Amino acid sequence: MSLANKLSQERRARLAAERVLEQKKAELQAANRKLGNHARQLSDEIVETRAQVKTVRDENERVKSDLSVANEKVEKLERRLWHSIESIQDGMAFFDSDSRLIAANEAWLSVFDGLEAIQPGISYVEILQFLTEEGIVDTADMHPADWREMALDRWQSASPDPEIIRLWSGAYIKVFDQRGHGGDVISLAMDITDTVRNEQRLKEARRKAEAAARAKSAFLANMSHEIRTPMNGVVGMADLLQDTDLTEEQLLYAETIKNSGEALLVIINDVLDYSKIEAEKLVLHSDLFDLERCIHELIMLLQPNARDKGLELLVDYDMFLPTQFTGDRGRLRQIITNLMGNAIKFTEEGHVTIRVVGVHSEGEKMTDLRVTIEDTGIGIPADKVGHIFGEFNQVDDEQNRKYEGTGLGLAISQKLINLMGGEIWVESEEGKGSCFGFSLPLPAAEKVASDCFRLPDGVKTALVVEPHDVSRMILKRQLEVMGIEAICCENGAQALTQITPDLGVVLCDHNMRDMDGLELAEVMRDAGQTTPIILLSTTSSAAEKDPARCHVQAVLQKPYPRRSLFAALAALEVVASPSDPSETAGSTEEEVPAVRTMRVLAAEDNKTNRLVFSKMVKSLDIELKFAENGLEAVEMFQSFHPDIVFTDISMPEMDGKEATQKIRALEADTAQHIPVVAMTAHAMDGDADDILAAGIDHYLTKPLRKDAITDHIQKVWHEGLRPPLPEDQAEG
Ligand code: ADP
């Protein structure tokens, strides 16, 4: 090989080596760069990690310091909490889920009086053991083991009820145990000794107060009897005194004694009733009674007062309302008497109307009874209407002051009505009149068929002659319900122009101004008119004695019950011809001559009352015998065979109620029923019902009235007996 070749070969090799070198250099540089980069990256990471380590270290430091602050706080709070728990008066203890004591405050531990065993770790069962064995707890009549068993049962229940325990020292501790989520129990023991002592004191005070109230009630009952008995003497004697030969001045004195005595009795009764309701001693009695009859009896009693003032008393008893209800008859009577009495008292002219309606609910057999008493009196000023139901509240103005009263009547009525589940209200216009109303839910004992008062045949048209608007309207409505068309007019003169041959009946008022009812009847008969006439009179006894009575078919005492009107109209159909009824009456009397005197037995232990009674019946043609107690009354009932018995209720040996029961037992096998009339001085509630329940038919409240006694005797009279009153005096 040539040198040149060798050189060129060498150059090429060198060049190739140089290229390789160059390449290796480049690779080395690249590797260096990469290494440099990596080293930088590593260094960055180290810096970063260092920073992180520092942060974590800082954080650690902070957490450490926070933790110690928190620890301090917790310790502080725990100290405070425990301090608080220690400072409370009530005992507090904590138990773990195994019922072992964790901790307890001083108050809780103090009960154990320093017993060393009572410390954290002791079980509840052991605590109970100490309580009983050391005599800390007073288990009263219970055996300690039973007491522990009872206490443990309670403790183990999911949520134990609070329990009161009595300690040996007489202290009372109320224990509340509250179970927490993990089974821990917090037990709170409150000292309630003061509360228990106060309760005991209150109970004692209440017992004493109740005893005092009972004593007051008994005192009132006795006072009622004690005052009413001598008052009976005073009023009765004053009444008799009035019938003797007195000068005008003496008569005035006697009348004043009687009126004052009666007024005093009214006040006593009111005060007694009110006290009784207040003491919650008033018991309502429920019995079957006839409401319509009850109202008419009341009207009879109030009629004289109304008549003296020239007032008309009207009854508008819903034609479709039953009469038999179940309720407290006596109390209902008292309410109606009070409202009607007020209406008459505060009315100088016009009328007083009692309306009775009711909504009868078929399903429930209950009637929502609504009674209103409407008057045309002085009325009540609008600003006083709200006050009059309050006790002792009266309208105090010029007009009112002249009327007497206690101001208790409405308060008593309201309380009674509320007790019976009803309501009372009033609407009034000063100078025009008032309307008092009350509603009562009462069970109706019967249903009234809508055709119950329908007259089958006969009378189709009636002429009503009645000057009084309200009366006329009531009568018209009653007739329409009976299926009779009513033609109305206000006086006799108008009536005479209305009479036609097809008229079935003329119903005319007795006391009309221009021509009274009997005069109208006379004129009609003189004119040859034979239409039957029914006279409606507030003084039926006077009408019965009038010679013109023969012209009318019937006399109805106003206001009359629905049945009386119906019966009078129904009776017309069987009257063959309008003959003179007095003829028939006369002939009956002749046919059945009177054979013996009526026998009256009166049982009364009080000598004055016996004297009063005998004076009151002095003018009657009767044979009177007295029994001085119930026992004697029963004996004399068998030997004397009275036609009627009057009996006092409170008597020695045997009271009037028992005597009547014995009399009723004697009558049991006979068809006989001798009326027994109680004479009672008791003003307290319930008496009326007790009396009637004993088999007594009627009762009179002392002081007795001559008229009332005479009335009862006359009612028993029947053919075969000599009339107790001479005919010229025999008025109702
Ligand atoms: P008393 O009638 O004994 O005063 P009440 O409680 O029955 O007591 O009545 C209270 C008052 O209500 C009466 O004094 C009277 O002022 C008023 N008052 C009651 N009823 C009527 C009435 N029908 N008309 C006018 N005022 C009446």
Side-chain angles (χ1 to χ4, degrees):
M1 170 177 329
S2 69
L3 186 63
N5 274 352
K6 270 188 181 172
L7 278 173
S8 119
Q9 211 175 7
E10 214 176 288
R11 201 170 42 101
R12 274 198 305 270
R14 194 174 34 94
L15 279 173
E18 274 174 5
R19 268 199 307 274
V20 169
L21 188 65
E22 277 304 306
Q23 194 184 341
K24 290 294 169 197
K25 256 187 198 168
E27 279 177 7
L28 193 66
Q29 270 174 357
N32 266 346
R33 260 197 318 277
K34 207 172 171 183
L35 205 63
N37 279 345
H38 193 64
R40 241 189 343 268
Q41 202 177 332
L42 266 179
S43 145
D44 282 355
E45 276 177 14
I46 286 168
V47 169
E48 200 177 319
T49 307
R50 266 208 205 116
Q52 277 175 355
V53 167
K54 186 172 181 304
T55 315
V56 169
R57 204 176 282 142
D58 288 352
E59 192 93 333
N60 255 352
E61 284 303 312
R62 215 179 53 244
V63 169
K64 255 192 210 157
S65 103
D66 282 358
L67 202 62
S68 86
V69 170
N71 266 341
E72 268 173 37
K73 271 189 186 167
V74 168
E75 273 170 27
K76 210 163 149 189
L77 276 176
E78 202 178 350
R79 257 196 331 273
R80 277 187 189 155
L81 180 65
W82 197 244
H83 185 70
S84 310
I85 289 172
E86 278 297 354
S87 65
I88 58 172
Q89 307 264 307
D90 303 313
M92 222 174 173
F94 305 90
F95 290 83
D96 64 15
S97 52
D98 292 331
S99 298
R100 289 191 178 277
L101 182 68
I102 301 170
N105 69 357
E106 265 312 305
W108 194 87
L109 292 169
S110 68
V111 168
F112 299 90
D113 204 20
L115 260 180
E116 271 183 27
I118 307 295
Q119 54 174 288
I122 189 169
S123 73
Y124 192 73
V125 175
E126 288 167 313
I127 293 173
L128 292 178
Q129 199 85 22
F130 277 112
L131 280 174
T132 49
E133 281 174 6
E134 299 292 324
I136 298 169
V137 70
D138 179 358
T139 61
D141 302 336
M142 269 181 115
H143 190 276
D146 294 340
W147 186 86
R148 284 196 299 269
E149 196 182 322
M150 180 197 76
L152 196 62
D153 276 355
R154 178 188 156 275
W155 172 263
Q156 284 166 343
S157 67
S159 53
D161 288 333
E163 172 78 10
I164 296 175
I165 56 175
R166 193 180 136 100
L167 302 185
W168 67 275
S169 56
Y172 287 88
I173 308 287
K174 191 167 188 177
V175 183
F176 300 86
D177 296 319
Q178 179 76 48
R179 212 168 277 285
H181 287 306
D184 285 4
V185 179
I186 301 172
S187 186
L188 178 71
M190 279 172 69
D191 189 337
I192 55 160
T193 313
D194 287 347
T195 317
V196 172
R197 297 257 154 84
N198 278 340
E199 255 172 39
Q200 283 169 343
R201 269 196 290 273
L202 280 177
K203 264 190 202 153
E204 181 58 16
R206 188 193 162 130
R207 195 193 57 74
K208 281 188 182 157
E210 279 173 355
R214 273 197 301 277
K216 192 178 89 181
S217 249
F219 168 73
L220 286 179
N222 283 340
M223 190 180 82
S224 140
H225 187 72
E226 297 304 323
I227 295 180
R228 287 178 64 92
T229 305
M231 277 317 284
N232 176 35
V234 174
V235 176
M237 284 298 178
D239 196 20
L240 292 173
L241 199 61
Q242 282 179 301
D243 288 346
T244 59
D245 203 7
L246 295 181
T247 65
E248 213 160 286
E249 195 182 2
Q250 287 166 332
L251 198 63
L252 181 72
Y253 294 161
E255 202 176 303
T256 312
I257 295 173
K258 189 179 151 207
N259 292 345
S260 309
E262 283 175 344
L264 183 60
L265 285 170
V266 170
I267 296 170
I268 290 170
N269 283 346
D270 272 1
V271 173
L272 287 176
D273 260 346
Y274 191 78
S275 321
K276 192 146 195 206
I277 298 174
E278 277 297 274
E280 293 179 6
K281 292 275 184 235
L282 190 114
V283 186
L284 292 174
H285 302 268
S286 205
D287 268 316
L288 191 69
F289 72 101
D290 186 325
L291 177 65
E292 192 180 10
R293 197 173 126 196
C294 173
I295 291 173
H296 278 90
E297 281 171 6
L298 277 178
I299 299 276
M300 294 290 275
L301 282 178
L302 297 168
Q303 192 73 272
N305 280 353
R307 207 180 296 144
D308 287 351
K309 295 177 93 173
L311 300 178
E312 184 120 18
L313 292 188
L314 308 171
V315 180
D316 187 4
Y317 196 100
D318 183 352
M319 287 300 273
F320 299 119
L321 188 68
T323 49
Q324 299 285 328
F325 288 94
T326 308
D328 195 323
R329 173 183 182 272
R331 291 298 170 190
L332 196 61
R333 216 181 131 103
Q334 182 179 0
I335 296 162
I336 300 177
T337 310
N338 182 32
L339 298 179
M340 291 279 295
N342 274 352
I344 295 169
K345 179 161 80 173
F346 295 107
T347 304
E348 292 309 326
E349 58 180 42
H351 65 94
V352 172
T353 307
I354 173 164
R355 282 182 216 284
V356 189
V357 293
V359 183
H360 185 50
S361 49
E362 292 288 327
E364 300 164 49
K365 279 195 101 189
M366 284 296 277
T367 301
D368 183 20
L369 198 71
R370 268 160 199 270
V371 180
T372 51
I373 287 120
E374 185 189 286
D375 66 53
T376 50
I378 59 170
I380 303 162
D383 60 328
K384 299 284 185 339
V385 168
H387 298 121
I388 53 165
F389 290 105
E391 47 273 13
F392 303 108
N393 286 0
Q394 294 171 308
V395 176
D396 187 20
D397 63 16
E398 200 60 24
Q399 277 229 355
N400 249 273
R401 236 163 274 152
K402 64 179 178 191
Y403 300 106
E404 285 175 357
T406 55
L408 275 176
L410 288 178
I412 293 172
S413 300
Q414 185 180 43
K415 281 181 189 289
L416 287 175
I417 290 170
N418 292 348
L419 267 179
M420 294 180 187
E423 267 180 79
I424 186 168
W425 63 87
V426 59
E427 286 161 16
S428 186
E429 197 175 331
E430 203 177 353
K432 293 224 160 140
S434 311
C435 179
F436 282 80
F438 65 89
S439 65
L440 270 192
L442 276 191
E446 47 156 45
K447 285 180 195 156
V448 170
S450 53
D451 58 356
C452 152
F453 285 114
R454 216 149 241 283
L455 286 166
D457 290 307
V459 184
K460 288 278 168 260
T461 351
L463 179 66
V464 171
V465 194
E466 169 63 68
H468 197 280
D469 292 347
V470 183
S471 263
R472 201 165 54 238
M473 212 178 63
I474 297 173
L475 182 53
K476 183 173 190 290
R477 221 177 33 230
Q478 287 175 333
L479 290 172
E480 281 166 0
V481 172
M482 293 180 192
I484 301 174
E485 186 200 341
I487 303 160
C488 295
C489 57
E490 293 174 23
N491 53 45
Q494 274 180 20
L496 289 171
T497 66
Q498 301 276 352
I499 294 166
T500 55
D502 53 344
L503 256 188
V505 64
V506 176
L507 289 141
C508 70
D509 185 35
H510 182 193
N511 309 308
M512 296 186 290
R513 265 209 211 122
D514 56 345
M515 179 193 297
D516 80 21
L518 286 175
E519 282 166 358
L520 171 66
E522 210 165 355
V523 173
M524 280 174 62
R525 298 294 178 246
D526 286 350
Q529 282 150 348
T530 55
T531 318
I533 301 171
I534 296 177
L535 189 76
L536 312 168
S537 173
T538 45
T539 49
S540 62
S541 48
E544 291 287 1
K545 279 183 280 167
D546 196 304
R549 162 68 176 87
C550 60
H551 301 306
V552 301
Q553 270 57 43
V555 178
L556 287 185
Q557 167 72 41
K558 274 174 103 178
Y560 41 83
R562 297 169 303 173
R563 278 179 206 289
S564 304
L565 175 66
F566 181 76
L569 288 166
L572 292 181
E573 294 171 48
V574 293
V575 173
S577 66
S579 61
D580 186 346
S582 61
E583 273 172 26
T584 348
S587 61
T588 323
E589 242 171 64
E590 273 160 32
E591 276 162 27
V592 188
V595 287
R596 70 164 171 86
T597 319
M598 282 183 76
R599 290 188 287 258
V600 176
L601 173 64
E604 171 64 78
D605 64 315
N606 183 295
K607 202 172 152 198
T608 317
N609 289 346
R610 283 202 296 273
L611 181 65
V612 171
F613 191 93
S614 58
K615 295 276 183 197
M616 282 183 170
V617 296
K618 189 177 69 186
S619 57
L620 304 186
D621 181 11
I622 55 164
E623 189 183 350
L624 172 69
K625 282 197 179 174
F626 280 110
E628 294 187 15
N629 59 49
L631 213 59
E632 257 185 52
V634 178
E635 283 166 15
M636 288 171 72
F637 178 80
Q638 295 168 81
S639 56
F640 180 48
H641 302 294
D643 296 300
I644 184 167
V645 179
F646 288 86
T647 179
D648 186 20
I649 292 298
S650 307
M651 286 184 294
E653 309 256 1
M654 184 187 285
D655 70 18
K657 284 185 262 184
E658 201 185 332
T660 310
Q661 278 162 354
K662 295 245 178 320
I663 289 175
R664 294 294 174 238
L666 288 171
E667 286 177 340
D669 299 331
T670 66
Q672 200 185 30
H673 180 99
I674 298 298
V676 177
V677 182
M679 307 180 287
T680 171
H682 281 281
M684 296 297 275
D685 159 62
D687 295 335
D689 297 280
D690 285 357
I691 288 167
L692 298 177
I696 292 172
D697 303 278
H698 311 279
Y699 70 93
L700 297 172
T701 324
K702 290 176 181 175
L704 301 175
R705 308 272 183 294
K706 194 169 152 186
D707 288 353
I709 298 174
T710 312
D711 243 26
H712 279 292
I713 295 176
Q714 267 202 301
K715 268 189 209 141
V716 198
W717 177 84
H718 55 81
E719 284 162 3
L721 297 178
R722 275 223 301 279
L725 269 182
E727 243 174 86
D728 60 333
Q729 284 177 38
E731 61 177 71

